[in-house]
Amino acid sequence: MNIEDNIITAEAGKIFRRKIDGMLFGEEIYLGLTYYLNGVKLETPIQEKPDDFEEIDIEIETEEIN
């Protein structure tokens, strides 16, 4: 994981998953305030931190074209 200002970037072939609810994100996240968890609006937004996310491997399925 690379951290620069409020942007975190995953290693090649990985994406991010938020630990608290398992929501999947892409290869890059701009950290900010979270207003919803599991589709439920929070009374008080929470500030996201790099430790709130984990990198997971992605598998890409491709279809061979003849």
Side-chain angles (χ1 to χ4, degrees):
M1 175 186 319
N2 181 31
I3 303 170
E4 188 173 321
D5 295 323
N6 69 327
I7 304 167
I8 56 175
T9 307
E11 294 179 23
K14 296 185 180 245
I15 60 171
F16 287 105
R17 176 171 51 200
R18 188 165 47 206
K19 294 176 185 177
I20 195 167
D21 64 355
M23 183 170 178
L24 298 177
F25 292 83
E27 300 169 351
E28 186 174 84
I29 298 176
Y30 287 73
L31 300 173
L33 294 174
T34 297
Y35 292 88
Y36 290 86
L37 287 177
N38 290 327
V40 178
K41 187 173 181 178
L42 301 171
E43 286 186 32
T44 304
I46 56 174
Q47 178 65 47
E48 298 171 321
K49 299 180 230 64
D51 291 340
D52 296 335
F53 299 90
E54 61 187 349
E55 289 179 284
I56 61 169
D57 293 324
I58 57 172
E59 294 181 18
I60 300 173
E61 293 185 24
T62 58
E63 184 176 319
E64 188 175 318
I65 300 174
N66 292 326

